Amino acid sequence: MTVRIHVGAHKTASTELQYAIRSVRNELAGQGLGFLGPSALRSQRLPLSRAIRGDQNLAAEPLRAKLRYWLSSHEDHLISEENILGTTSRGEMFGGDDVLYPGAEDRLARTLELLGKPEVELFLAIRDPATFVTSAYGQQLRSGALVDVSTYVRGVKVRSLDWTGLIERLLGCEGVSRVVCWRLEDHTQVRGRVLARLLGPERAALVPPATLRHRGVSEKAYRYFMKTALEDMETPVQTLLRDAQKRHPRLEGEPSMRLLHHRTYRSSLVNYDAQAGRIAGMERVEFLRPQNPPVPPV
């Protein structure tokens, strides 16, 4: 039996992978692989997300029984849920000393306990911290949280947010055998290899090509949204943001909003490259990089 858990992170094309895999979940089940994604794990029938947040009104035993029955029903298993790490809210995203997802290891440990503490492989995509934070902030706006970006990142050294430390903490959880990691910036080039590692090569061939999900908020849309949000105190935030995105959509190839200081984006990228190098050299980490095309003979 294999158990693989894709934990995101948020804003790293997780939705694209989940959508594509879910579209062939019946075919995958026919080949012995069970799949649970966010639509199942955030539902009333299988409320994993609530359970690992410590919801005191939720009885754990029925959920535990359902998850273990699911494990017994398939040979191989894939869970994909970025909220195992936390959410994009400020308190769950940032901790002291530039920690990312400060509660991640506790939430993962609760997940593994509910599953019966199997041995698992974790799958995690990382992203340049500055663009990651900007995109996570956009997710908060879409959820209806009206907060300015300076408040969202107050006290956080964005350029120093630490993916390396997050992976070390996840590897420290009992039952985690390995972390398979890749960069969002390489998603297009490594998507096929990610799917092959998640599903197996034959099953990966069933998954349809990538489709773009969550285009993000354009710079013009954000500026329009903030202006209207200050003038209109009655319309829900989500409605104002949707209207702004409709008026100023982010077109394919267009950069998303850049709300931090330009020096933050520059220094973040430098630190991120260094972090990726360190992560690639860590024990029990498999780092997926784009494969160089073969050099033609001279």
Side-chain angles (χ1 to χ4, degrees):
M1 180 179 81
T2 65
V3 181
R4 298 184 175 104
I5 304 180
H6 171 225
V7 293
H10 294 90
K11 316 311 298 176
T12 60
S14 297
T15 300
E16 187 277 305
L17 288 173
Q18 291 159 351
Y19 182 85
I21 294 170
R22 187 172 183 272
S23 72
V24 292
R25 65 189 183 281
N26 292 334
E27 292 89 336
L28 293 171
Q31 294 194 13
L33 183 135
F35 172 67
L36 292 175
S39 59
L41 297 171
R42 301 176 193 177
S43 69
Q44 292 296 320
R45 294 174 59 190
L46 208 61
L48 177 68
S49 291
R50 285 177 55 201
I52 62 177
R53 293 186 74 178
D55 188 334
Q56 299 300 314
N57 297 317
L58 183 67
E61 194 52 43
L63 174 60
R64 185 179 290 112
K66 290 176 182 177
L67 288 170
R68 295 184 187 183
Y69 176 79
W70 174 73
L71 288 174
S72 70
S73 301
H74 307 279
E75 178 182 355
D76 299 313
H77 310 81
L78 173 60
I79 290 172
S80 182
E81 169 58 294
E82 53 266 55
N83 283 354
I84 290 174
L85 296 178
T87 69
T88 57
S89 68
R90 173 182 162 82
E92 295 190 17
M93 180 70 72
F94 311 121
D97 298 322
D98 306 318
V99 167
L100 270 171
Y101 296 111
E105 60 268 46
D106 293 335
R107 295 164 72 107
L108 176 61
R110 287 195 286 270
T111 300
L112 297 181
E113 190 280 325
L114 288 166
L115 290 167
K117 297 185 178 180
E119 182 176 291
V120 301
E121 282 188 316
L122 298 184
F123 290 74
L124 173 72
I126 62 175
R127 181 175 181 175
D128 174 3
T131 65
F132 172 69
V133 167
T134 303
S135 190
Y137 170 70
Q139 181 65 36
Q140 282 293 287
L141 294 180
R142 281 191 290 274
S143 71
L146 182 56
V147 58
D148 64 85
V149 70
S150 61
T151 300
Y152 185 63
V153 300
R154 182 174 296 157
V156 178
K157 292 181 181 178
V158 172
R159 64 184 180 276
S160 301
L161 287 170
D162 188 13
W163 291 113
T164 309
L166 173 62
I167 292 172
E168 289 174 343
R169 286 156 42 217
L170 296 176
L171 283 168
C173 291
E174 182 182 358
V176 176
S177 63
R178 173 187 297 266
V179 173
V180 179
C181 185
W182 64 98
R183 305 183 339 146
L184 166 70
E185 294 82 1
D186 299 330
H187 177 78
T188 301
Q189 297 98 313
V190 302
R191 181 180 187 267
R193 293 167 61 205
V194 170
L195 288 170
R197 287 292 281 107
L198 284 168
L199 308 172
E202 291 186 6
R203 296 178 185 133
L206 298 171
V207 179
T211 55
L212 185 63
R213 320 295 300 177
H214 295 329
R215 283 186 182 272
V217 182
S218 70
E219 182 80 21
K220 289 181 180 179
Y222 175 73
R223 300 302 176 194
Y224 181 85
F225 161 75
M226 291 303 293
K227 178 178 181 295
T228 55
L230 291 172
E231 297 170 349
D232 184 347
M233 300 297 179
E234 296 184 357
T235 305
V237 171
Q238 295 98 321
T239 302
L240 294 176
L241 184 61
R242 281 196 298 269
D243 178 60
Q245 289 182 283
K246 188 178 296 185
R247 290 172 179 267
H248 303 287
R250 182 187 169 200
L251 304 176
E252 190 165 358
E254 179 185 358
S256 59
M257 57 184 181
R258 292 175 69 86
L259 309 180
L260 308 174
H261 196 280
H262 64 88
R263 285 197 297 269
T264 299
Y265 287 101
R266 284 205 303 267
S267 59
S268 174
L269 183 58
V270 172
N271 289 346
Y272 177 52
D273 287 341
Q275 281 194 54
R278 290 195 297 272
I279 292 167
M282 291 171 64
E283 292 185 4
R284 295 162 54 209
V285 171
E286 179 182 345
F287 198 88
L288 303 179
R289 294 185 183 274
Q291 294 177 324
N292 293 327
V295 178
V298 178

